[in-house]
Amino acid sequence: MDRDLLRQCVTYHGESLFNKLKCEQTENPDFQALVSDLCKASYESTLVEQFIARKADILFCPSWKTTAVKEEEHDEEEAAEPYAVMPPLELFMEVSYDERRAMLYRDLERGDIVVGRINNIREYGFFLTLLSTAGGLKRDIEDLDLSALCHIREIPSTGSHDDPLSYYQIGDFIRAGVKDIDRYQEKITVSLHQASVSRSLEHIKLGVIAREELPVHYSRSLSAASDSTETYEPILRRCHGYHNPSVVDYLLERVGISDTHPPSLMRGLQSKLFQEDDFASAIRKKQSTSWALKCVRAGVDHFKHGRHVEAMNEYNKALEIDTNNVEALVARGALYANKGSIMKAISDFELALESSPDHRNAKKYLCQTLVERGKQLEEQEKLVTAEGLYRRALSLDDTNPEAQDALHKITDTIQGAFSEKQKLHFVIFFSIKND
Amino acid sequence: MEGPSSRLSEARDGAVQPAGGRDASGEVESDSSRDVKTHFRVCRFIMETGVKLGMRSVPVATACVLYHRFFERVNISSYEPYLVAMSCVYLAGKVEEQHIRTRDIINVSHRYFNSGSAPLECDKEFWDLRDSVVQCELLILRQLNFHVSFEHPHKYLLHYLLSVKSLVNRHAWSRTPVAETSWALLRDCYHGAMCIRHAPQHIAIATLYLALNSYGVELPVGEKEWWQVLCEDVTRADIDAVISDLLQLYDMEAKCI
């Protein structure tokens, strides 16, 4: 009995066949000799079946496909290829002529791009001998004797020439879009209109191309075919793109797999089991806030004991650990205000309020500081600006008596500074401004 | 090696069991099978930590390989395996150019062993832990003779996927998650020492083979098999061996975790 063939069959069908064989072939000494070998084979296929059965809920889950596949980009034209573009695999596998022809007719679609050489020109169009696919599919087709017709209607007019066909010669390399495939009659028609190409391949120009513009996988397959020692792996290693340090990341994106929420068949590593709070960035943020608060508390203690320099150092340290930490900003702002650096104080309070608009102390201190600033501006005769600050201060803390007082006084001052006539003008101006 | 790291593993049951202990089923285990389970758990720790740190697949693989190679010739009872694992993560980040801060490694590990706890304060315990991780890194480097750069199956698998994809009808391919499955299988290999016992091309081919098999994808047949073409020296037996080792890892998950 053919051991290998039998092994293949048992592996394919599994234990049920093996058991049946054992029953039926008990008298056969050849079979008995192979039983232990076959036992292993059926066991292996049982193992795989068991694996598939156990993990079926993950394997066949619709959300298993994590990201949509990026549409194929025609990056092969770039000088530096981001990954190794390999000749089509069926070349190395030596798949039969008939099979490859059948595969092509099965898989070629409207909108794909093919490359061919003109072998015949008639008055109604030209014929191409297809050399290679160039977008949509990647196949080895030169020896399949495929011919495609490009009808004269499918050639864009070149302006000055009356006959668009005169622009083309036998032997020209042409890149064209597939317009129609008749699978039964095995006829392919192509077009040179850019609109005939599918959307993802739109940017590829159709028409005459130079030998250098032939697809990379095609030229590589030519050199591989001519030299039988050129097998897959040596070619792979020789490709410049293989040694791109970011090739893994690039190809993962191409293939559509996420590396940040990676797939796994282990029960314990399923993405839904991971919680946001356990991730490094979340813990770090919480930790930074905590460390910063410790510094702020130390700083406040220094401040209460009059050690202003040490207090400022602690606040700055806190802000280094946790930028825009609210408590640190408010504490530092208060220290600035205390020292008389009004503008710096205002800036810190404003920043604190950006992330925590309802922070009580921030609002209270900013209100007080704005009133002080307003008073400074009043002395510089910048009455209107000062008034704006008082209004803002009151909006932050409407119970602040100083702010209320200051606002009333300045409104009076502004009004009193003008004569009757000017007052009228000013009132109009003021009401327009307030609209 | 003891020290601050012991506080990490205190809360984790079964991390380091006394000699001749009994496993969940009450049977007496041999030392080596207990060790295998420990290594499995620690590698699981590495993989989970890797996800939480945002590490890419290749650095995580390097971390696991460093770990397995370290314990190839070293007795597990002499070293705290989880500390070694943390240092492997740190070292792998450097080797694969995805630098990970020790602070993040410590934070994630601490929370792994003390679920739901508050982050560590910036105190002596924290700094001691950090020192341990950095010192252990030097130990690992010396144990491995500074040979820390490895060839991984990942690059091979991705190129193989592209090549095989071209053989198949595009709609059939987009319906079938072969890429995700083979990537998942590859990542899962690192739970066990099998990742260092087989050649990277063989592992890549075997995971792709198993993925195709799981969905019943049929590839065209030529004079040569697709897997024979991708790697000349691989045999059916090699593929079966890798798959067998990998399936055993899935069985082990049920027993260990």
Side-chain angles (χ1 to χ4, degrees):
Chain A
M1 293 177 101
D2 187 334
R3 175 201 298 256
D4 289 331
L5 198 55
L6 193 52
R7 198 174 189 281
Q8 183 179 302
C9 182
V10 169
T11 313
Y12 184 86
H13 287 278
E15 203 166 353
S16 58
L17 175 64
F18 180 56
N19 291 334
K20 293 197 172 74
L21 276 171
K22 275 198 290 192
C23 286
E24 301 292 334
Q25 298 288 333
T26 42
E27 307 295 310
N28 187 335
D30 281 347
F31 181 76
Q32 292 305 322
L34 299 176
V35 157
S36 58
D37 205 30
L38 293 174
C39 191
K40 201 160 155 289
S42 79
Y43 179 62
E44 275 157 15
S45 76
T46 315
L47 273 185
V48 173
E49 280 175 13
Q50 199 174 60
F51 162 76
I52 297 172
R54 280 205 189 131
K55 303 290 183 184
D57 56 312
I58 305 175
L59 288 171
F60 299 100
C61 175
S63 60
W64 189 226
K65 288 203 76 70
T66 45
T67 48
V69 178
K70 242 171 74 164
E71 303 241 299
E72 187 178 316
E73 283 170 17
H74 208 70
D75 48 16
E76 297 167 13
E77 308 297 332
E78 289 171 21
E81 56 178 16
Y83 68 98
V85 178
M86 294 298 291
L89 202 58
E90 65 266 23
L91 169 73
F92 299 100
M93 286 166 66
E94 295 172 32
V95 177
S96 73
Y97 175 93
D98 292 322
E99 172 107 27
R100 281 186 290 124
R101 247 185 113 91
M103 275 165 57
L104 184 78
Y105 278 108
R106 179 192 71 194
D107 298 334
L108 191 65
E109 288 180 10
R110 286 192 72 183
D112 286 346
I113 298 184
V114 289
V115 164
R117 200 188 289 126
I118 299 183
N119 62 44
N120 199 353
I121 304 181
R122 301 291 195 84
E123 58 295 347
Y124 54 84
F126 59 73
F127 286 88
L128 291 177
T129 313
L130 293 187
L131 296 176
S132 167
T133 56
L137 268 192
K138 202 172 86 156
R139 292 281 168 87
D140 176 34
I141 62 176
E142 185 171 10
D143 65 333
L144 293 180
D145 310 316
L146 295 168
S147 189
L149 166 65
C150 183
H151 200 275
I152 193 170
R153 276 195 313 265
E154 301 299 336
I155 304 171
S157 62
T158 45
S160 52
H161 294 269
D162 292 350
D163 178 17
L165 281 174
S166 60
Y167 188 64
Y168 299 97
Q169 293 177 343
I170 293 188
D172 279 351
F173 290 112
I174 302 285
R175 190 158 53 205
V178 173
K179 184 165 182 293
D180 194 53
I181 310 153
D182 185 336
R183 292 166 218 277
Y184 296 106
Q185 305 228 348
E186 293 194 342
K187 282 198 165 79
I188 302 173
T189 44
V190 297
S191 166
L192 292 182
H193 287 302
Q194 210 63 40
S196 65
V197 161
S198 70
R199 222 156 22 101
S200 57
L201 302 168
E202 257 171 4
H203 56 281
I204 302 174
K205 272 185 53 197
L206 303 178
V208 180
I209 59 172
R211 190 178 278 275
E212 299 77 52
E213 291 172 272
L214 290 172
V216 173
H217 66 85
Y218 172 68
S219 11
R220 288 211 172 122
S221 66
L222 283 182
S223 57
S226 59
D227 183 355
S228 63
T229 61
E230 288 275 283
T231 50
Y232 189 91
E233 194 163 321
I235 298 179
L236 183 67
R237 285 179 184 283
R238 254 212 332 265
C239 284
H240 191 253
Y242 184 70
H243 302 285
N244 173 9
S246 1
V247 68
V248 172
D249 300 323
Y250 179 82
L251 285 179
L252 274 177
E253 228 189 307
R254 265 295 274 263
V255 164
I257 304 176
S258 160
D259 222 8
T260 44
H261 290 92
S264 171
L265 286 165
M266 290 281 183
R267 294 276 162 208
L269 288 175
Q270 299 303 301
S271 335
K272 57 179 190 275
L273 294 174
F274 286 90
Q275 297 185 326
E276 277 307 311
D277 286 342
D278 293 337
F279 280 63
S281 42
I283 306 176
R284 174 180 274 261
K285 186 75 185 69
K286 270 200 340 214
Q287 191 183 52
S288 295
T289 311
S290 165
W291 289 3
L293 280 177
K294 209 165 136 195
C295 292
V296 172
R297 268 181 250 128
V300 169
D301 187 63
H302 283 308
F303 178 72
K304 286 194 178 138
H305 289 88
R307 296 185 291 267
H308 290 192
V309 175
E310 286 85 342
M312 182 58 82
N313 286 341
E314 288 294 334
Y315 298 150
N316 284 331
K317 208 164 87 177
L319 286 169
E320 261 179 49
I321 293 172
D322 185 19
T323 342
N324 297 348
N325 179 286
V326 177
E327 298 303 324
L329 283 170
V330 173
R332 193 173 73 169
L335 185 50
Y336 275 137
N338 195 275
K339 282 191 340 188
S341 309
I342 302 291
M343 296 312 290
K344 287 190 186 167
I346 292 178
S347 151
D348 274 353
F349 293 136
E350 296 279 26
L351 197 47
L353 283 173
E354 257 176 50
S355 48
S356 308
D358 296 320
H359 194 277
R360 252 193 64 201
N361 280 351
K363 283 160 70 171
K364 196 166 104 184
Y365 298 159
L366 181 56
C367 167
Q368 291 169 3
T369 320
L370 284 173
V371 169
E372 252 203 77
R373 177 68 186 150
K375 297 223 162 86
Q376 285 180 348
L377 288 174
E378 272 194 74
E379 280 172 30
Q380 297 169 24
E381 304 283 322
K382 292 187 179 142
L383 301 181
V384 178
T385 323
E387 204 229 355
L389 288 188
Y390 294 144
R391 282 191 192 276
R392 173 97 204 286
L394 219 49
S395 74
L396 288 167
D397 181 7
D398 53 12
T399 64
N400 186 314
E402 274 191 34
Q404 292 165 348
D405 198 39
L407 185 58
H408 283 143
K409 282 215 184 94
I410 199 169
T411 331
D412 289 341
T413 316
I414 289 173
Q415 286 179 342
F418 289 95
S419 69
E420 289 290 325
K421 214 167 154 190
Q422 283 172 323
K423 200 160 82 174
L424 195 60
H425 283 292
F426 188 78
V427 165
I428 295 169
F429 165 75
F430 201 75
S431 59
I432 292 170
K433 187 172 178 273
N434 271 352
D435 274 344
Chain B
M1 176 194 295
E2 24 127 313
S5 60
S6 57
R7 193 167 184 284
L8 276 181
S9 52
E10 246 172 51
R12 196 79 181 166
D13 286 332
V16 180
Q17 289 182 8
R22 290 171 184 274
D23 75 352
S25 65
E27 299 193 355
V28 177
E29 295 178 278
S30 66
D31 279 349
S32 72
S33 82
R34 203 186 56 232
D35 287 350
V36 167
K37 283 190 185 164
T38 306
H39 290 316
F40 185 93
R41 289 194 193 101
V42 179
C43 286
R44 170 56 58 90
F45 162 74
I46 294 179
M47 313 235 3
E48 267 194 55
T49 304
V51 174
K52 294 171 190 168
L53 289 167
M55 275 175 98
R56 297 188 296 263
S57 294
V58 170
V60 170
T62 301
C64 291
V65 170
L66 288 169
Y67 177 83
H68 287 298
R69 287 220 181 271
F70 181 82
F71 280 106
E72 249 188 317
R73 283 160 299 214
V74 143
N75 196 332
I76 196 175
S77 55
S78 323
Y79 299 92
E80 165 54 67
Y82 285 96
L83 178 61
V84 173
M86 286 164 71
S87 299
C88 285
V89 168
Y90 181 54
L91 181 52
K94 289 188 192 172
V95 170
E96 301 296 344
E97 299 295 337
Q98 189 183 12
H99 295 256
I100 312 279
R101 315 269 282 276
T102 47
R103 179 176 162 190
D104 290 323
I105 300 178
I106 291 171
N107 283 343
V108 169
S109 309
H110 180 259
R111 204 172 158 100
Y112 183 85
F113 294 111
N114 304 287
S115 180
S117 61
L120 285 172
E121 289 301 320
C122 189
D123 55 13
K124 183 172 185 304
E125 183 194 348
F126 181 85
W127 291 108
D128 284 345
L129 257 170
R130 192 183 178 277
D131 286 343
S132 300
V133 171
V134 172
Q135 280 166 30
C136 190
E137 183 200 11
L138 186 56
L139 236 146
I140 297 171
L141 282 168
R142 283 158 67 178
Q143 178 64 31
L144 299 182
N145 289 322
F146 292 81
H147 177 50
V148 292
S149 180
F150 308 107
E151 197 187 25
H152 289 301
H154 302 70
K155 258 204 302 200
Y156 288 109
L157 177 59
L158 288 169
H159 283 94
Y160 295 165
L161 273 169
L162 285 182
S163 287
V164 165
K165 175 181 168 184
S166 319
L167 289 174
V168 172
N169 176 279
R170 73 194 85 183
H171 302 294
W173 182 265
S174 62
R175 266 201 315 266
T176 325
V178 174
E180 283 82 355
T181 304
S182 55
W183 194 253
L185 289 167
L186 176 56
R187 283 181 60 101
D188 293 339
C189 284
Y190 286 89
H191 283 81
M194 63 165 287
C195 58
I196 55 174
R197 293 212 187 104
H198 300 283
Q201 296 93 318
H202 295 191
I203 297 180
I205 290 191
T207 52
L208 181 52
Y209 186 97
L210 181 55
L212 290 168
N213 211 332
S214 303
Y215 294 105
V217 174
E218 282 184 26
L219 295 178
V221 179
E223 292 298 308
K224 302 190 188 131
E225 297 271 14
W226 62 269
W227 45 265
Q228 192 64 76
V229 156
L230 292 175
C231 176
E232 288 191 302
D233 65 0
V234 74
T235 62
R236 236 346 266 277
D238 291 328
I239 297 178
D240 289 341
V242 173
I243 292 180
S244 166
D245 283 349
L246 180 52
L247 295 186
Q248 274 178 29
L249 286 177
Y250 288 114
D251 284 340
M252 202 179 300
E253 185 188 20
K255 292 189 211 132
C256 284
I257 308 257

